Amino acid sequence: MPPALPRATNDGGIGLVAVNETNAAIEAVVRIESARLIAGLAHSTGDVGLAEELAQDAVVAALEQWPDSGVPRNAGAWLMTVAKRRAIDLYRRNERLRDRYGQIGRDLAADGRAVDPDFDRAVSDDIDDDLLRLVFTACHPVLSVPARVALTLRLLGGLTTVEIARAYLVPEATIAQRIVRAKKTLARAQVPFEVPEPAERPARLSSVLEVVYLIFNEGYTATAGEDWMRPTLCADALRLGRILAQIAADEPEVHGLVALMEIQASRLSARTDDAGRPILLLDQNRLLWDRLLINRGLAAMARAEELGGARGPYALQAAIAACHARAVRAEDTDWALIAVLYTILAEVMPSPIVQLNRAVAVSMADGPQAGLDLVDELAHEPSLQSYALLPSVRADLLVKVGRPEEARIEFERAAALTSNVRERDLSLERARAAARAASRDRD
């Protein structure tokens, strides 16, 4: 694939067009530095939308100068200084924003290099604090969940509107509109660019973690389309989670979420065959599981526990994932412990989906009929009526207790409820197998 150059997009972001190899390095630098750059500029200007425009101007300047001069040793600092010079030029033309101009001038003076873009040390902004402010701004509750997801991927993940649209299988214009509207909503609501007060922080952090995990889950099991997974979204979510773990190092649930994502991501290579067809957990080749990611996940889980967060929702889910990761063979899995962990999780985070997962664990620990009894208690739960995994789980248990004709009906219902082509094909294949078993029983 040819390297690429930025171009302006209709959401104020940076798109890509092909050019020469020199710009591959520039593109990599931009992807790495974009979140820090926007965070620092938003801190100085108080305006996330303007911060992204200034970052774009700095990138354009880099594309003009770096092919001849080379990429500076501290490319992030170079970009930050050029962007702030551009901000000063803009503010000089607007008397109403003179106070902001003064703030940026003070920031540059503190850098010790004024407006010289060739220095090699990082600017003196507290990058961690600025990134944390940007995280809380992008995931602010004033925005809808889809807007939070799009804005987070754009500002913190460094993805273009094209990449986000491709990942979520929606038109580019839809994503662009979400991002533009999100920025306008933040401006209209005068959302401050700041870390919430301690009393507000747990609820706001919960929103941030929800957004990151939503991104990961969409990558892990796509809700629609022809692919079972979109691994690049998993990677984006993991990168965001790792950033959060650095800048909110004392928050146990951050480490719990990172642990959960690391361990789940370790299975990606084993979750499909060469043709892209799904391979269910118990059938996966565990030699393909990434031990490095598992070890990273276990370390993050230990950190969450050290901070007193063992009973946090994400830490509990990580502990469940760890039970699978530690089992060399599927039959070595400690299903009794998993059932206990789901029971605790259901107390901490009451949810029919948690209860459904608990039923699966109970079926593995105590037999399929015990699990089926629990699933049948959920059969009329309103929030699960369009959830494809309910009939899929029930069908699997019906097969195991020797009721294949009922299982066929449930597998077909599961197929009708999903928008993912691979998941639908798997359910229909299992329905056909159940139908064959039912036919043998009749014969």
Side-chain angles (χ1 to χ4, degrees):
M1 176 179 176
L5 264 178
R7 61 174 171 82
T9 62
N10 54 356
D11 70 327
I14 298 171
L16 301 173
V17 292
V19 276
N20 56 49
E21 283 189 10
T22 303
N23 291 296
I26 298 175
E27 182 183 339
V29 168
V30 169
R31 181 62 62 91
I32 292 167
E33 297 291 342
S34 62
R36 292 182 177 87
L37 182 61
I38 294 169
L41 292 166
H43 174 70
S44 294
T45 65
D47 186 329
V48 171
L50 177 59
E52 192 177 9
E53 291 176 15
L54 294 170
Q56 180 182 347
D57 288 346
V59 171
V60 170
L63 289 164
E64 292 172 347
Q65 298 179 39
W66 290 359
D68 294 327
S69 64
V71 177
R73 283 194 297 257
N74 197 323
W78 191 101
L79 291 166
M80 182 68 78
T81 301
V82 170
K84 287 185 175 180
R85 291 182 70 181
R86 174 62 176 155
I88 289 173
D89 290 341
L90 289 175
Y91 289 147
R92 276 175 175 159
R93 300 180 199 135
N94 193 332
E95 291 293 327
R96 291 173 299 173
L97 296 176
R98 186 179 294 278
D99 58 333
R100 288 292 185 186
Y101 162 58
Q103 177 62 49
I104 291 175
R106 287 190 293 274
D107 287 348
L108 281 169
D111 292 343
R113 296 294 192 279
V115 292
D116 177 7
D118 296 322
F119 61 88
D120 298 321
R121 268 194 313 123
V123 293
S124 63
D125 291 343
D126 187 335
I127 290 175
D128 285 355
D129 282 352
D130 286 347
L131 278 173
L132 196 56
R133 292 183 184 103
L134 185 60
V135 167
F136 279 114
T137 301
C139 299
H140 197 281
V142 74
L143 302 175
S144 68
V145 171
R148 289 181 223 171
V149 168
L151 195 60
T152 299
L153 285 172
R154 179 73 201 98
L155 298 182
L156 287 150
L159 273 67
T160 65
T161 51
V162 174
E163 290 170 324
I164 300 169
R166 186 183 301 129
Y168 282 88
L169 301 180
V170 297
E172 181 184 354
T174 300
I175 295 298
Q177 288 170 5
R178 281 181 194 169
I179 293 172
V180 169
R181 288 172 184 164
K183 293 175 187 175
K184 289 180 178 177
T185 299
L186 292 174
R188 189 164 53 247
Q190 297 183 324
V191 171
F193 186 72
E194 63 185 15
V195 174
E197 294 297 324
E200 299 177 52
R201 204 167 299 170
R204 291 283 300 279
L205 183 62
S206 176
S207 172
V208 171
L209 298 181
E210 177 191 12
V211 167
V212 174
Y213 198 40
L214 280 171
I215 294 168
F216 182 88
N217 275 337
E218 183 61 29
Y220 193 74
T221 305
T223 55
E226 297 184 0
D227 295 322
W228 176 242
M229 303 179 296
R230 299 193 185 102
T232 54
L233 274 182
C234 291
D236 291 328
L238 258 176
R239 185 170 63 252
L240 294 173
R242 289 166 183 164
I243 291 172
L244 275 174
Q246 292 175 355
I247 62 182
D250 294 329
E251 297 287 352
E253 270 293 79
V254 172
H255 297 284
L257 174 58
V258 171
L260 175 58
M261 294 192 297
E262 298 274 16
I263 295 172
Q264 287 185 315
S266 72
R267 306 175 196 152
L268 290 176
S269 296
R271 295 188 73 235
T272 57
D273 63 16
D274 291 341
R277 291 184 294 262
I279 301 175
L280 300 179
L281 178 63
L282 297 183
D283 299 324
Q284 289 171 18
N285 179 357
R286 299 187 176 213
L287 294 177
L288 297 178
W289 288 3
D290 190 323
R291 301 309 305 182
L292 175 61
L293 290 178
I294 289 173
N295 290 335
R296 289 180 65 120
L298 295 177
M301 191 171 72
R303 179 59 180 153
E305 292 170 354
E306 287 171 10
L307 293 168
R311 288 179 64 91
Y314 292 111
L316 284 168
Q317 292 175 79
I320 292 166
C323 289
H324 296 293
R326 292 186 175 114
V328 177
R329 302 173 302 167
E331 53 266 35
D332 297 332
T333 306
D334 191 342
W335 287 104
L337 176 56
I338 291 175
V340 169
L341 289 168
Y342 270 121
T343 300
I344 298 171
L345 182 62
E347 296 171 358
V348 173
M349 188 179 70
S351 160
I353 293 177
V354 172
Q355 292 292 359
L356 181 61
N357 282 298
R358 176 175 172 269
V360 173
V362 168
S363 77
M364 299 299 293
D366 300 331
Q369 187 60 54
L372 183 59
D373 291 342
L374 293 175
V375 172
D376 285 345
E377 292 176 9
L378 298 168
H380 301 293
E381 168 61 42
S383 64
L384 294 180
Q385 294 312 297
S386 60
Y387 188 56
L389 282 183
L390 175 62
S392 180
V393 167
R394 189 168 188 272
D396 184 61
L397 295 174
L398 286 167
V399 168
K400 290 177 179 177
V401 299
R403 294 158 62 183
E405 179 57 27
E406 293 173 74
R408 176 191 65 78
I409 295 170
E410 290 292 86
F411 277 131
E412 289 176 351
R413 190 159 76 90
L417 286 174
T418 182
S419 298
N420 184 281
V421 173
R422 296 291 187 178
E423 187 176 359
R424 182 185 304 130
D425 290 347
L426 176 63
S427 292
L428 290 175
E429 180 182 331
R430 300 183 80 188
R432 289 190 290 270
R436 290 192 294 271
S439 177
R440 286 194 298 271
D441 288 350
R442 287 192 296 270
D443 294 341

